[in-house]
Amino acid sequence: HPLKQYTCDGSDRAPMASFDIVSKVDTQTLDNAINTAKREVETRYDLRGSNSTIEFDKKALTIKVGTEDHLKLDSIIDILLERSTKQKLDVKSFDLKEEPQPSGKLLYKTIKIQNGIEREKAKKIIKAIKEMKVKVEAQIQEDQIRVNGKKFDDLQAVMAMCRVTDFEVPLQFENMKS
């Protein structure tokens, strides 16, 4: 048949389109947001002169916030989240579950930055994709999900569903191939 499409391996399957669902945080943008937050903490009237710190560990992807009491700690975290939002970072990347730890006269809270999709969340995303009943395949590849399909429209439908569904982790779409 003259209109039949062939793939590189000589088979007559239709070429597959694909993309990756990832969850990444741009560390440079995050660093900028943290530095802006530090400057604001130093100049804000209710925090000026307090023994407050914000430290970013780029290797461990953690932010350690330290200050004198819970009220100031909450204020600093609010500033940090606000500055991150202004830098177009998704605040779902910040894992705020850990309780503050007292150390001497100060309180410290470690905030983990979620980078990559955890296996349990990836399984939830794949389950939601399967429930859509579109002809695509999704599989977990390390800390991301690869979605393959014959129709570009099916892939776009999966992206749209991922954008409107809250999987408690910020999602981006990469490596779109058709």
Side-chain angles (χ1 to χ4, degrees), residues 18-166:
S18 69
F19 70 92
D20 297 328
I21 302 173
V22 298
S23 181
K24 291 183 179 170
V25 175
D26 180 10
T27 52
Q28 186 58 54
T29 306
L30 180 59
D31 197 32
N32 293 345
I34 290 168
N35 289 329
T36 309
K38 281 180 185 176
R39 284 193 295 279
E40 186 172 332
V41 167
E42 289 167 8
T43 58
R44 232 172 84 165
Y45 67 94
D46 59 334
L47 297 170
R48 196 178 312 135
S50 69
N51 200 354
S52 302
T53 59
I54 303 173
E55 297 167 21
F56 180 36
D57 183 341
K58 288 182 183 177
K59 276 199 168 56
L61 276 178
T62 58
I63 303 167
K64 189 174 183 181
V65 180
T67 192
E68 297 161 351
D69 58 56
H70 285 281
L71 197 64
K72 288 181 178 131
L73 188 67
D74 291 342
S75 293
I76 294 169
I77 291 170
D78 287 345
I79 291 169
L80 185 62
L81 295 178
E82 190 179 308
R83 295 294 151 225
S84 298
T85 303
K86 285 188 176 173
Q87 294 274 346
K88 306 265 187 282
L89 289 170
D90 195 323
V91 292
K92 289 184 209 164
S93 303
F94 294 82
D95 182 359
L96 300 166
K97 287 189 276 271
E98 194 171 306
E99 289 297 313
Q101 301 298 319
S103 175
K105 292 181 180 177
L106 298 178
L107 267 180
Y108 287 100
K109 181 172 180 124
T110 303
I111 302 167
K112 290 185 183 111
I113 305 302
Q114 296 181 41
N115 210 19
I117 304 171
E118 294 171 6
R119 197 148 193 88
E120 287 309 306
K121 288 193 171 116
K123 286 178 181 176
K124 282 184 190 171
I125 295 168
I126 288 176
K127 185 175 186 266
I129 292 170
K130 284 181 180 171
E131 287 171 358
M132 290 177 67
K133 305 243 188 286
V134 289
K135 290 185 178 180
V136 296
E137 288 177 25
Q139 69 252 54
I140 300 171
Q141 294 183 338
E142 293 175 30
D143 62 351
Q144 64 184 27
I145 300 169
R146 167 72 47 90
V147 181
N148 295 308
K150 289 182 181 174
K151 292 185 184 165
F152 196 71
D153 291 347
D154 291 344
L155 296 181
Q156 287 184 315
V158 170
M159 284 184 197
M161 181 277 298
C162 287
R163 283 189 186 103
V164 298
T165 309
D166 182 13

